[in-house]
Amino acid sequence: MAHKKVLVLGGNFGGLTAALAVRHELHGEVDVRVVSQSDEFIFNPSLIWLPFGKRRPSDLSFPLAPTFDTHGIDFVHAAATGLDLAGKKVMTSSATYDYDYLVIATGYRNNFAAVPGLGPGGNAYTITTLEDAIHAGEGWRRFLSNPGDIVIGASQGAGCFGAAYEYLFNVSHQLRKAGLKKQVKLTYVSSEPFLGHFGIGGLPHGEALLGMFLKKERIEAVVNTAMDHVDEGRLVLSDDRTFDFSYSMIIPPFVGQDFIRDTPGIADDKGYVKVRDTYQTNDYDDVYAVGIAAQVTVPWQSAVPVGIPKTGFPTERMAHVAARNIAAQIKGEPLGSHEAFGDMPAVCVMDAGNNGVIILADKMLPPRGHGILIPGPQAHA
Ligand SMILES: Cc1cc2nc3c(=O)[nH]c(=O)nc-3n(C[C@H](O)[C@H](O)[C@H](O)COP(=O)(O)OP(=O)(O)OC[C@H]3O[C@@H](n4cnc5c(N)ncnc54)[C@H](O)[C@@H]3O)c2cc1C
């Protein structure tokens, strides 16, 4: 009998894991094809170090084709441009591919429109893609020869707060190394309702711990705030407060890919795919979405909108849940794998230059049984 066809869109944490896991679950008795816009795996967590020369682009990426080849997976370097879910087809920049099961793992795009003045050619850097981090590094080297004040922030709607904190503390560490710590005022501006919220509602003693870290590093914090726009050398908040800077890095909100948002019925207005706890889409049993591409509902309301960090660990768990369920469907068995995002354990390491914090909790989102932050140099990579 011909093998079933599993088509995976995206080749990073979610797509790579889903593709390998489906092959593994079915002992190779399945045809898996991955279509990815990038032909490299990018280890995004290391982007925070790139601007300071602590990592080179080649340290945090590897080519996808040889890995997939080794595992008998067909790799296509192309961008998906449209979905025909009734016809079970995906249009791409190279060809149209049909499937029996589809996994969408196309991740995020920066939504620079959320704050005028952000984005390429704008007035603040970001570090959320390889290109952005390279530019942030060029700006950092210019800053070192003409230093002034610094603003690091996460805008309204952002969810990647861990990266903002990591960059903040790494900047502080680099300033000290450059002998500039005393002369540069460093400010952290965030939409989080309180320090250490991280987009996951905070953890016990987190606010106090982050407050202590900031005090020790003499960093001023402005939280629970929205950004109006960024002028050249000046951040303007919605309440008209202004912060002048010589260097700024701001994490924008993320959104899903346009071709998903443009597919009727499967996505929310941000382009994230609506899924069940099996990671099947609400309306199509044969279409899955994992990682950042999958919608997660924010379980609270805050005065300033705050996103949710869909980090690497839950992304890979979603991919394994999806792979197990696809394997069950192919074998004609009932779907046995269910795990809502909020119920997954939180496991994260936050680097802080020469220090760090290990973040552990039984659940990503409250209500939780337990959660703990373990500070110390052992968390520094
Ligand atoms: C600066 C930064 C620091 C981070 N630090 C941490 C950390 O310390 N710990 C942690 O757990 N997580 C961290 N994260 C989060 C982590 O990177 C994400 O959880 C992870 O990238 C999600 O993987 P994904 O596969 O869902 O999406 P992505 O990594 O965004 O991958 C999407 C894939 O889809 C492809 N693609 C996009 N559009 C298309 C298209 N149209 N057609 C085909 N393919 C397409 C892309 O090329 C890519 O291969 C960090 C993220 C950033 C940005």
PDB file of all heavy atoms in Angstrom, residues 286-312:
ATOM      1  N   ASP A 286      -7.316  16.735   9.515  1.00  0.00           N
ATOM      2  CA  ASP A 286      -6.044  16.350   8.887  1.00  0.00           C
ATOM      3  C   ASP A 286      -5.058  17.521   8.805  1.00  0.00           C
ATOM      4  O   ASP A 286      -4.005  17.403   8.194  1.00  0.00           O
ATOM      5  CB  ASP A 286      -6.307  15.789   7.471  1.00  0.00           C
ATOM      6  CG  ASP A 286      -7.174  16.724   6.634  1.00  0.00           C
ATOM      7  OD1 ASP A 286      -7.545  17.810   7.143  1.00  0.00           O
ATOM      8  OD2 ASP A 286      -7.490  16.371   5.482  1.00  0.00           O
ATOM      9  N   VAL A 287      -5.402  18.646   9.418  1.00  0.00           N
ATOM     10  CA  VAL A 287      -4.509  19.818   9.376  1.00  0.00           C
ATOM     11  C   VAL A 287      -4.147  20.208  10.808  1.00  0.00           C
ATOM     12  O   VAL A 287      -5.030  20.434  11.645  1.00  0.00           O
ATOM     13  CB  VAL A 287      -5.178  21.013   8.657  1.00  0.00           C
ATOM     14  CG1 VAL A 287      -4.223  22.211   8.625  1.00  0.00           C
ATOM     15  CG2 VAL A 287      -5.601  20.625   7.243  1.00  0.00           C
ATOM     16  N   TYR A 288      -2.852  20.265  11.075  1.00  0.00           N
ATOM     17  CA  TYR A 288      -2.329  20.567  12.413  1.00  0.00           C
ATOM     18  C   TYR A 288      -1.545  21.880  12.374  1.00  0.00           C
ATOM     19  O   TYR A 288      -1.046  22.284  11.323  1.00  0.00           O
ATOM     20  CB  TYR A 288      -1.373  19.458  12.860  1.00  0.00           C
ATOM     21  CG  TYR A 288      -2.043  18.128  13.176  1.00  0.00           C
ATOM     22  CD1 TYR A 288      -2.533  17.305  12.165  1.00  0.00           C
ATOM     23  CD2 TYR A 288      -2.169  17.698  14.488  1.00  0.00           C
ATOM     24  CE1 TYR A 288      -3.134  16.083  12.458  1.00  0.00           C
ATOM     25  CE2 TYR A 288      -2.763  16.479  14.793  1.00  0.00           C
ATOM     26  CZ  TYR A 288      -3.245  15.679  13.776  1.00  0.00           C
ATOM     27  OH  TYR A 288      -3.838  14.478  14.079  1.00  0.00           O
ATOM     28  N   ALA A 289      -1.412  22.518  13.523  1.00  0.00           N
ATOM     29  CA  ALA A 289      -0.506  23.675  13.628  1.00  0.00           C
ATOM     30  C   ALA A 289       0.218  23.589  14.962  1.00  0.00           C
ATOM     31  O   ALA A 289      -0.387  23.246  15.990  1.00  0.00           O
ATOM     32  CB  ALA A 289      -1.273  24.980  13.527  1.00  0.00           C
ATOM     33  N   VAL A 290       1.518  23.880  14.943  1.00  0.00           N
ATOM     34  CA  VAL A 290       2.337  23.775  16.163  1.00  0.00           C
ATOM     35  C   VAL A 290       3.264  24.982  16.276  1.00  0.00           C
ATOM     36  O   VAL A 290       3.529  25.673  15.299  1.00  0.00           O
ATOM     37  CB  VAL A 290       3.181  22.473  16.171  1.00  0.00           C
ATOM     38  CG1 VAL A 290       2.294  21.247  16.079  1.00  0.00           C
ATOM     39  CG2 VAL A 290       4.221  22.462  15.052  1.00  0.00           C
ATOM     40  N   GLY A 291       3.755  25.200  17.489  1.00  0.00           N
ATOM     41  CA  GLY A 291       4.721  26.272  17.727  1.00  0.00           C
ATOM     42  C   GLY A 291       4.058  27.633  17.701  1.00  0.00           C
ATOM     43  O   GLY A 291       2.879  27.783  18.024  1.00  0.00           O
ATOM     44  N   ILE A 292       4.831  28.617  17.285  1.00  0.00           N
ATOM     45  CA  ILE A 292       4.311  29.989  17.311  1.00  0.00           C
ATOM     46  C   ILE A 292       3.135  30.140  16.354  1.00  0.00           C
ATOM     47  O   ILE A 292       2.244  30.967  16.582  1.00  0.00           O
ATOM     48  CB  ILE A 292       5.443  30.995  17.000  1.00  0.00           C
ATOM     49  CG1 ILE A 292       6.499  30.929  18.121  1.00  0.00           C
ATOM     50  CG2 ILE A 292       4.891  32.410  16.873  1.00  0.00           C
ATOM     51  CD1 ILE A 292       7.598  31.952  18.027  1.00  0.00           C
ATOM     52  N   ALA A 293       3.078  29.331  15.299  1.00  0.00           N
ATOM     53  CA  ALA A 293       1.969  29.426  14.335  1.00  0.00           C
ATOM     54  C   ALA A 293       0.621  29.082  14.971  1.00  0.00           C
ATOM     55  O   ALA A 293      -0.431  29.463  14.450  1.00  0.00           O
ATOM     56  CB  ALA A 293       2.231  28.501  13.148  1.00  0.00           C
ATOM     57  N   ALA A 294       0.633  28.341  16.086  1.00  0.00           N
ATOM     58  CA  ALA A 294      -0.620  27.918  16.724  1.00  0.00           C
ATOM     59  C   ALA A 294      -1.125  29.013  17.667  1.00  0.00           C
ATOM     60  O   ALA A 294      -0.345  29.621  18.400  1.00  0.00           O
ATOM     61  CB  ALA A 294      -0.392  26.625  17.496  1.00  0.00           C
ATOM     62  N   GLN A 295      -2.423  29.235  17.648  1.00  0.00           N
ATOM     63  CA  GLN A 295      -3.000  30.265  18.520  1.00  0.00           C
ATOM     64  C   GLN A 295      -3.052  29.782  19.971  1.00  0.00           C
ATOM     65  O   GLN A 295      -3.405  28.628  20.231  1.00  0.00           O
ATOM     66  CB  GLN A 295      -4.429  30.584  18.063  1.00  0.00           C
ATOM     67  CG  GLN A 295      -5.062  31.715  18.830  1.00  0.00           C
ATOM     68  CD  GLN A 295      -6.587  31.672  18.762  1.00  0.00           C
ATOM     69  OE1 GLN A 295      -7.214  30.653  19.003  1.00  0.00           O
ATOM     70  NE2 GLN A 295      -7.170  32.792  18.406  1.00  0.00           N
ATOM     71  N   VAL A 296      -2.679  30.660  20.878  1.00  0.00           N
ATOM     72  CA  VAL A 296      -2.849  30.392  22.311  1.00  0.00           C
ATOM     73  C   VAL A 296      -3.641  31.561  22.879  1.00  0.00           C
ATOM     74  O   VAL A 296      -3.301  32.720  22.627  1.00  0.00           O
ATOM     75  CB  VAL A 296      -1.479  30.294  23.024  1.00  0.00           C
ATOM     76  CG1 VAL A 296      -1.662  30.256  24.528  1.00  0.00           C
ATOM     77  CG2 VAL A 296      -0.713  29.073  22.553  1.00  0.00           C
ATOM     78  N   THR A 297      -4.687  31.254  23.624  1.00  0.00           N
ATOM     79  CA  THR A 297      -5.523  32.329  24.154  1.00  0.00           C
ATOM     80  C   THR A 297      -4.881  32.910  25.410  1.00  0.00           C
ATOM     81  O   THR A 297      -4.463  32.168  26.300  1.00  0.00           O
ATOM     82  CB  THR A 297      -6.920  31.781  24.504  1.00  0.00           C
ATOM     83  OG1 THR A 297      -7.393  31.099  23.343  1.00  0.00           O
ATOM     84  CG2 THR A 297      -7.887  32.891  24.863  1.00  0.00           C
ATOM     85  N   VAL A 298      -4.795  34.240  25.465  1.00  0.00           N
ATOM     86  CA  VAL A 298      -4.254  34.907  26.654  1.00  0.00           C
ATOM     87  C   VAL A 298      -5.323  34.834  27.746  1.00  0.00           C
ATOM     88  O   VAL A 298      -6.433  35.310  27.553  1.00  0.00           O
ATOM     89  CB  VAL A 298      -3.911  36.382  26.347  1.00  0.00           C
ATOM     90  CG1 VAL A 298      -3.294  37.064  27.558  1.00  0.00           C
ATOM     91  CG2 VAL A 298      -2.976  36.478  25.157  1.00  0.00           C
ATOM     92  N   PRO A 299      -5.013  34.204  28.908  1.00  0.00           N
ATOM     93  CA  PRO A 299      -6.061  33.963  29.897  1.00  0.00           C
ATOM     94  C   PRO A 299      -6.314  35.137  30.840  1.00  0.00           C
ATOM     95  O   PRO A 299      -6.887  34.954  31.890  1.00  0.00           O
ATOM     96  CB  PRO A 299      -5.515  32.754  30.673  1.00  0.00           C
ATOM     97  CG  PRO A 299      -4.042  32.895  30.583  1.00  0.00           C
ATOM     98  CD  PRO A 299      -3.731  33.600  29.296  1.00  0.00           C
ATOM     99  N   TRP A 300      -5.822  36.311  30.518  1.00  0.00           N
ATOM    100  CA  TRP A 300      -6.080  37.469  31.381  1.00  0.00           C
ATOM    101  C   TRP A 300      -6.204  38.694  30.496  1.00  0.00           C
ATOM    102  O   TRP A 300      -5.845  38.684  29.318  1.00  0.00           O
ATOM    103  CB  TRP A 300      -4.940  37.687  32.382  1.00  0.00           C
ATOM    104  CG  TRP A 300      -3.598  37.716  31.722  1.00  0.00           C
ATOM    105  CD1 TRP A 300      -3.088  38.700  30.915  1.00  0.00           C
ATOM    106  CD2 TRP A 300      -2.619  36.691  31.762  1.00  0.00           C
ATOM    107  NE1 TRP A 300      -1.848  38.346  30.460  1.00  0.00           N
ATOM    108  CE2 TRP A 300      -1.535  37.122  30.967  1.00  0.00           C
ATOM    109  CE3 TRP A 300      -2.540  35.455  32.410  1.00  0.00           C
ATOM    110  CZ2 TRP A 300      -0.392  36.349  30.791  1.00  0.00           C
ATOM    111  CZ3 TRP A 300      -1.404  34.702  32.225  1.00  0.00           C
ATOM    112  CH2 TRP A 300      -0.345  35.150  31.427  1.00  0.00           C
ATOM    113  N   GLN A 301      -6.728  39.739  31.118  1.00  0.00           N
ATOM    114  CA  GLN A 301      -6.795  41.015  30.414  1.00  0.00           C
ATOM    115  C   GLN A 301      -5.905  41.987  31.148  1.00  0.00           C
ATOM    116  O   GLN A 301      -5.929  42.039  32.376  1.00  0.00           O
ATOM    117  CB  GLN A 301      -8.224  41.526  30.415  1.00  0.00           C
ATOM    118  CG  GLN A 301      -9.096  40.799  29.402  1.00  0.00           C
ATOM    119  CD  GLN A 301     -10.344  41.576  29.080  1.00  0.00           C
ATOM    120  OE1 GLN A 301     -10.958  42.127  29.971  1.00  0.00           O
ATOM    121  NE2 GLN A 301     -10.699  41.622  27.807  1.00  0.00           N
ATOM    122  N   SER A 302      -5.111  42.743  30.431  1.00  0.00           N
ATOM    123  CA  SER A 302      -4.278  43.745  31.087  1.00  0.00           C
ATOM    124  C   SER A 302      -4.551  45.082  30.400  1.00  0.00           C
ATOM    125  O   SER A 302      -4.971  45.117  29.243  1.00  0.00           O
ATOM    126  CB  SER A 302      -2.798  43.360  30.981  1.00  0.00           C
ATOM    127  OG  SER A 302      -2.486  42.978  29.660  1.00  0.00           O
ATOM    128  N   ALA A 303      -4.307  46.157  31.141  1.00  0.00           N
ATOM    129  CA  ALA A 303      -4.586  47.491  30.599  1.00  0.00           C
ATOM    130  C   ALA A 303      -3.812  47.689  29.296  1.00  0.00           C
ATOM    131  O   ALA A 303      -4.332  48.197  28.309  1.00  0.00           O
ATOM    132  CB  ALA A 303      -4.188  48.539  31.632  1.00  0.00           C
ATOM    133  N   VAL A 304      -2.559  47.246  29.299  1.00  0.00           N
ATOM    134  CA  VAL A 304      -1.728  47.314  28.096  1.00  0.00           C
ATOM    135  C   VAL A 304      -1.627  45.882  27.556  1.00  0.00           C
ATOM    136  O   VAL A 304      -1.296  44.970  28.317  1.00  0.00           O
ATOM    137  CB  VAL A 304      -0.320  47.847  28.453  1.00  0.00           C
ATOM    138  CG1 VAL A 304       0.541  47.927  27.203  1.00  0.00           C
ATOM    139  CG2 VAL A 304      -0.412  49.201  29.135  1.00  0.00           C
ATOM    140  N   PRO A 305      -1.925  45.651  26.264  1.00  0.00           N
ATOM    141  CA  PRO A 305      -1.896  44.275  25.746  1.00  0.00           C
ATOM    142  C   PRO A 305      -0.522  43.612  25.896  1.00  0.00           C
ATOM    143  O   PRO A 305       0.500  44.242  25.642  1.00  0.00           O
ATOM    144  CB  PRO A 305      -2.240  44.434  24.263  1.00  0.00           C
ATOM    145  CG  PRO A 305      -2.775  45.799  24.104  1.00  0.00           C
ATOM    146  CD  PRO A 305      -2.289  46.635  25.243  1.00  0.00           C
ATOM    147  N   VAL A 306      -0.551  42.356  26.333  1.00  0.00           N
ATOM    148  CA  VAL A 306       0.674  41.580  26.543  1.00  0.00           C
ATOM    149  C   VAL A 306       0.513  40.254  25.804  1.00  0.00           C
ATOM    150  O   VAL A 306      -0.515  39.596  25.936  1.00  0.00           O
ATOM    151  CB  VAL A 306       0.875  41.310  28.053  1.00  0.00           C
ATOM    152  CG1 VAL A 306       2.036  40.365  28.282  1.00  0.00           C
ATOM    153  CG2 VAL A 306       1.104  42.604  28.805  1.00  0.00           C
ATOM    154  N   GLY A 307       1.517  39.855  25.025  1.00  0.00           N
ATOM    155  CA  GLY A 307       1.450  38.581  24.300  1.00  0.00           C
ATOM    156  C   GLY A 307       1.944  37.431  25.153  1.00  0.00           C
ATOM    157  O   GLY A 307       2.348  37.616  26.307  1.00  0.00           O
ATOM    158  N   ILE A 308       1.906  36.222  24.570  1.00  0.00           N
ATOM    159  CA  ILE A 308       2.346  35.016  25.288  1.00  0.00           C
ATOM    160  C   ILE A 308       3.620  34.486  24.626  1.00  0.00           C
ATOM    161  O   ILE A 308       3.677  34.401  23.398  1.00  0.00           O
ATOM    162  CB  ILE A 308       1.239  33.943  25.250  1.00  0.00           C
ATOM    163  CG1 ILE A 308       0.139  34.346  26.219  1.00  0.00           C
ATOM    164  CG2 ILE A 308       1.770  32.567  25.554  1.00  0.00           C
ATOM    165  CD1 ILE A 308      -0.767  33.235  26.646  1.00  0.00           C
ATOM    166  N   PRO A 309       4.636  34.140  25.417  1.00  0.00           N
ATOM    167  CA  PRO A 309       5.858  33.599  24.809  1.00  0.00           C
ATOM    168  C   PRO A 309       5.684  32.119  24.464  1.00  0.00           C
ATOM    169  O   PRO A 309       5.632  31.277  25.355  1.00  0.00           O
ATOM    170  CB  PRO A 309       6.907  33.776  25.915  1.00  0.00           C
ATOM    171  CG  PRO A 309       6.128  33.755  27.190  1.00  0.00           C
ATOM    172  CD  PRO A 309       4.739  34.238  26.883  1.00  0.00           C
ATOM    173  N   LYS A 310       5.577  31.828  23.178  1.00  0.00           N
ATOM    174  CA  LYS A 310       5.485  30.411  22.767  1.00  0.00           C
ATOM    175  C   LYS A 310       6.922  29.959  22.547  1.00  0.00           C
ATOM    176  O   LYS A 310       7.467  30.083  21.449  1.00  0.00           O
ATOM    177  CB  LYS A 310       4.638  30.287  21.509  1.00  0.00           C
ATOM    178  CG  LYS A 310       3.188  30.706  21.721  1.00  0.00           C
ATOM    179  CD  LYS A 310       2.421  30.661  20.412  1.00  0.00           C
ATOM    180  CE  LYS A 310       1.493  31.819  20.259  1.00  0.00           C
ATOM    181  NZ  LYS A 310       0.983  31.974  18.890  1.00  0.00           N
ATOM    182  N   THR A 311       7.535  29.490  23.600  1.00  0.00           N
ATOM    183  CA  THR A 311       8.977  29.221  23.582  1.00  0.00           C
ATOM    184  C   THR A 311       9.294  27.851  22.978  1.00  0.00           C
ATOM    185  O   THR A 311       8.401  27.107  22.569  1.00  0.00           O
ATOM    186  CB  THR A 311       9.539  29.327  25.012  1.00  0.00           C
ATOM    187  OG1 THR A 311       8.709  28.551  25.857  1.00  0.00           O
ATOM    188  CG2 THR A 311       9.562  30.759  25.497  1.00  0.00           C
ATOM    189  N   GLY A 312      10.580  27.530  22.951  1.00  0.00           N
ATOM    190  CA  GLY A 312      11.038  26.321  22.278  1.00  0.00           C
ATOM    191  C   GLY A 312      10.488  25.040  22.891  1.00  0.00           C
ATOM    192  O   GLY A 312      10.084  24.118  22.169  1.00  0.00           O
TER     193      GLY A 312
END
